[in-house]
Amino acid sequence: MPTPDLARSSSSTVAEILARLGTDPKTGLNPTQVQERLIKYGANALPEEKKSAVSVLLAYFWGPIPWMIEAAALMALIVGDWGDLTIIVSLLLFNAVLGFWEEHEASNALDALKNSLALKARALRSGEWQQVDARTLVPGDVIRLYLGDVVPADCKLIQGDCERLCRECGENRRDFSRLCPANLKRQVRRSGCTWNGSWC
């Protein structure tokens, strides 16, 4: 999927970025521009690849190490060593079930992370502030952030004082490091950029 050339955004001025993206900061994008950019750049969302539970489980029986264990089980079966066969098959099954469970838990953690990202955003579209799904944000959208908001997309700050927001965030919340870590403050101060999933 193509992405706009925003590598220079941290060193570019706001006016240069708005001109490059073809955005009027007073009216934002119109519906036609939004649709064109959604087609060109895609949705503002992580790609989702769901595998069936059966295929994930069977993957633990496929690969060089499982093949060696399966070959050992086959040899134990051929020679009729039922004790070794039982132990080898038990270890193979235990490894598959344990790996499947760990992958399932990691998948749940990833889903929780995706859900913690902003689901809605306030975007300036056709001259009006609208509540939109964060996945419909496109390069060039002008968004409005308030103190405590989860940032719905990577963006360049064009107005306001994020340093002050970070300071207030630290004064009003106990766990300041989670919400506005020092390295993020330095990056915001230097570039005026903030990133999807971070807090204001």
Side-chain angles (χ1 to χ4, degrees):
M1 171 184 336
T3 56
D5 178 22
L6 296 178
R8 300 172 294 174
S9 294
S10 61
S11 61
S12 301
T13 66
V14 171
E16 290 171 343
I17 293 170
L18 290 172
R20 192 173 19 206
L21 293 173
T23 301
D24 180 354
K26 291 181 177 36
T27 61
L29 300 176
N30 62 45
T32 305
Q33 291 172 311
V34 171
Q35 285 305 314
E36 289 171 356
R37 293 174 193 207
L38 270 174
I39 292 168
K40 183 175 180 181
Y41 299 114
N44 176 37
L46 297 172
E48 300 218 11
E49 293 180 23
K50 288 286 184 187
K51 296 180 186 175
S52 73
V54 173
S55 67
V56 171
L57 181 62
L58 291 178
Y60 286 97
F61 296 101
W62 189 258
I65 293 176
W67 291 336
M68 288 189 304
I69 297 172
E70 290 160 4
L74 183 60
M75 287 190 288
L77 178 66
I78 290 171
V79 297
D81 190 349
W82 306 115
D84 283 351
L85 176 64
T86 304
I87 291 170
I88 292 170
V89 169
S90 298
L91 288 174
L92 185 63
L93 289 173
F94 176 75
N95 179 56
V97 169
L98 182 65
F100 175 78
W101 179 255
E102 287 178 347
E103 189 166 338
H104 174 70
E105 291 297 309
S107 176
N108 288 345
L110 182 60
D111 289 342
L113 176 64
K114 286 180 185 178
N115 291 336
S116 74
L117 299 177
L119 301 176
K120 294 286 184 183
R122 287 172 294 277
L124 182 62
R125 301 235 171 120
S126 300
E128 295 180 10
W129 290 104
Q130 301 174 10
Q131 185 90 1
V132 298
D133 287 331
R135 63 181 293 109
T136 65
L137 292 176
V138 294
D141 259 328
V142 176
I143 60 174
R144 178 175 280 169
L145 298 173
Y146 291 107
L147 180 63
D149 282 353
V150 176
V151 179
D154 295 349
C155 58
K156 176 87 170 178
L157 302 174
I158 61 174
Q159 189 177 24
D161 183 3
C162 192
E163 278 188 66
R164 182 182 58 79
L165 289 177
C166 285
R167 239 185 349 268
E168 288 177 7
C169 187
E171 292 167 2
N172 296 331
R173 304 205 190 245
R174 285 190 176 166
D175 190 3
F176 175 62
S177 61
R178 258 190 56 199
L179 300 178
C180 200
N183 63 346
L184 177 61
K185 283 201 307 187
R186 281 194 298 277
Q187 291 169 347
V188 167
R189 196 177 300 132
R190 185 175 64 245
S191 67
C193 295
T194 188
W195 293 269
N196 188 10
S198 60
W199 294 71
C200 265

mmCIF file of all heavy atoms in Angstrom, residues 5-13 16-17 20 156:
data_model
loop_
_atom_site.group_PDB
_atom_site.id
_atom_site.type_symbol
_atom_site.label_atom_id
_atom_site.label_comp_id
_atom_site.label_asym_id
_atom_site.label_seq_id
_atom_site.Cartn_x
_atom_site.Cartn_y
_atom_site.Cartn_z
ATOM 1 N N ASP A 5 4.797 10.675 1.232
ATOM 2 C CA ASP A 5 6.179 10.914 1.641
ATOM 3 C C ASP A 5 6.179 11.881 2.813
ATOM 4 O O ASP A 5 6.260 13.088 2.639
ATOM 5 C CB ASP A 5 6.984 11.488 0.468
ATOM 6 C CG ASP A 5 8.417 11.791 0.856
ATOM 7 O OD1 ASP A 5 8.900 11.206 1.847
ATOM 8 O OD2 ASP A 5 9.047 12.614 0.183
ATOM 9 N N LEU A 6 6.077 11.322 4.001
ATOM 10 C CA LEU A 6 6.055 12.150 5.195
ATOM 11 C C LEU A 6 7.332 12.005 5.998
ATOM 12 O O LEU A 6 7.421 12.450 7.127
ATOM 13 C CB LEU A 6 4.851 11.800 6.066
ATOM 14 C CG LEU A 6 3.495 12.086 5.428
ATOM 15 C CD1 LEU A 6 2.387 11.669 6.357
ATOM 16 C CD2 LEU A 6 3.354 13.533 5.024
ATOM 17 N N ALA A 7 8.354 11.376 5.394
ATOM 18 C CA ALA A 7 9.614 11.208 6.106
ATOM 19 C C ALA A 7 10.222 12.565 6.436
ATOM 20 O O ALA A 7 10.894 12.729 7.441
ATOM 21 C CB ALA A 7 10.584 10.380 5.270
ATOM 22 N N ARG A 8 9.962 13.529 5.582
ATOM 23 C CA ARG A 8 10.507 14.876 5.818
ATOM 24 C C ARG A 8 9.599 15.721 6.697
ATOM 25 O O ARG A 8 9.915 16.859 7.003
ATOM 26 C CB ARG A 8 10.697 15.590 4.472
ATOM 27 C CG ARG A 8 11.643 14.871 3.552
ATOM 28 C CD ARG A 8 11.638 15.514 2.203
ATOM 29 N NE ARG A 8 10.312 15.321 1.605
ATOM 30 C CZ ARG A 8 9.930 15.858 0.470
ATOM 31 N NH1 ARG A 8 10.732 16.629 -0.203
ATOM 32 N NH2 ARG A 8 8.742 15.629 -0.007
ATOM 33 N N SER A 9 8.468 15.161 7.139
ATOM 34 C CA SER A 9 7.482 15.942 7.880
ATOM 35 C C SER A 9 8.012 16.519 9.173
ATOM 36 O O SER A 9 7.621 17.595 9.578
ATOM 37 C CB SER A 9 6.246 15.090 8.189
ATOM 38 O OG SER A 9 5.611 14.766 6.988
ATOM 39 N N SER A 10 8.900 15.789 9.848
ATOM 40 C CA SER A 10 9.379 16.283 11.132
ATOM 41 C C SER A 10 10.228 17.532 10.966
ATOM 42 O O SER A 10 10.315 18.337 11.872
ATOM 43 C CB SER A 10 10.153 15.195 11.871
ATOM 44 O OG SER A 10 11.271 14.812 11.117
ATOM 45 N N SER A 11 10.843 17.707 9.798
ATOM 46 C CA SER A 11 11.662 18.899 9.595
ATOM 47 C C SER A 11 10.950 19.948 8.742
ATOM 48 O O SER A 11 11.436 21.057 8.595
ATOM 49 C CB SER A 11 12.996 18.512 8.940
ATOM 50 O OG SER A 11 12.753 17.926 7.680
ATOM 51 N N SER A 12 9.798 19.601 8.166
ATOM 52 C CA SER A 12 9.059 20.543 7.325
ATOM 53 C C SER A 12 8.178 21.441 8.182
ATOM 54 O O SER A 12 7.779 21.072 9.277
ATOM 55 C CB SER A 12 8.166 19.790 6.334
ATOM 56 O OG SER A 12 8.925 18.952 5.510
ATOM 57 N N THR A 13 7.867 22.594 7.625
ATOM 58 C CA THR A 13 6.939 23.487 8.322
ATOM 59 C C THR A 13 5.513 22.992 8.100
ATOM 60 O O THR A 13 5.250 22.215 7.181
ATOM 61 C CB THR A 13 7.055 24.937 7.809
ATOM 62 O OG1 THR A 13 6.610 24.961 6.450
ATOM 63 C CG2 THR A 13 8.477 25.457 7.920
ATOM 64 N N GLU A 16 4.241 23.811 4.592
ATOM 65 C CA GLU A 16 4.775 22.918 3.551
ATOM 66 C C GLU A 16 4.031 21.592 3.535
ATOM 67 O O GLU A 16 3.687 21.071 2.470
ATOM 68 C CB GLU A 16 6.269 22.661 3.780
ATOM 69 C CG GLU A 16 7.157 23.860 3.533
ATOM 70 C CD GLU A 16 8.590 23.622 3.994
ATOM 71 O OE1 GLU A 16 8.831 22.686 4.780
ATOM 72 O OE2 GLU A 16 9.451 24.391 3.557
ATOM 73 N N ILE A 17 3.764 21.064 4.713
ATOM 74 C CA ILE A 17 3.067 19.770 4.789
ATOM 75 C C ILE A 17 1.635 19.904 4.286
ATOM 76 O O ILE A 17 1.151 19.075 3.515
ATOM 77 C CB ILE A 17 3.093 19.223 6.227
ATOM 78 C CG1 ILE A 17 4.536 18.877 6.608
ATOM 79 C CG2 ILE A 17 2.195 18.014 6.374
ATOM 80 C CD1 ILE A 17 4.727 18.553 8.058
ATOM 81 N N ARG A 20 1.755 20.135 0.549
ATOM 82 C CA ARG A 20 2.102 18.844 -0.051
ATOM 83 C C ARG A 20 0.896 17.892 -0.022
ATOM 84 O O ARG A 20 0.691 17.113 -0.937
ATOM 85 C CB ARG A 20 3.286 18.239 0.680
ATOM 86 C CG ARG A 20 3.904 17.067 -0.010
ATOM 87 C CD ARG A 20 5.161 16.591 0.644
ATOM 88 N NE ARG A 20 5.247 17.074 2.008
ATOM 89 C CZ ARG A 20 6.360 17.264 2.688
ATOM 90 N NH1 ARG A 20 7.495 16.994 2.160
ATOM 91 N NH2 ARG A 20 6.363 17.707 3.917
ATOM 92 N N LYS A 156 1.044 15.612 12.552
ATOM 93 C CA LYS A 156 1.878 16.784 12.807
ATOM 94 C C LYS A 156 0.982 17.798 13.500
ATOM 95 O O LYS A 156 -0.118 18.087 13.039
ATOM 96 C CB LYS A 156 2.400 17.331 11.474
ATOM 97 C CG LYS A 156 3.198 18.601 11.553
ATOM 98 C CD LYS A 156 4.639 18.306 11.813
ATOM 99 C CE LYS A 156 5.479 19.572 11.647
ATOM 100 N NZ LYS A 156 6.864 19.321 11.937
#
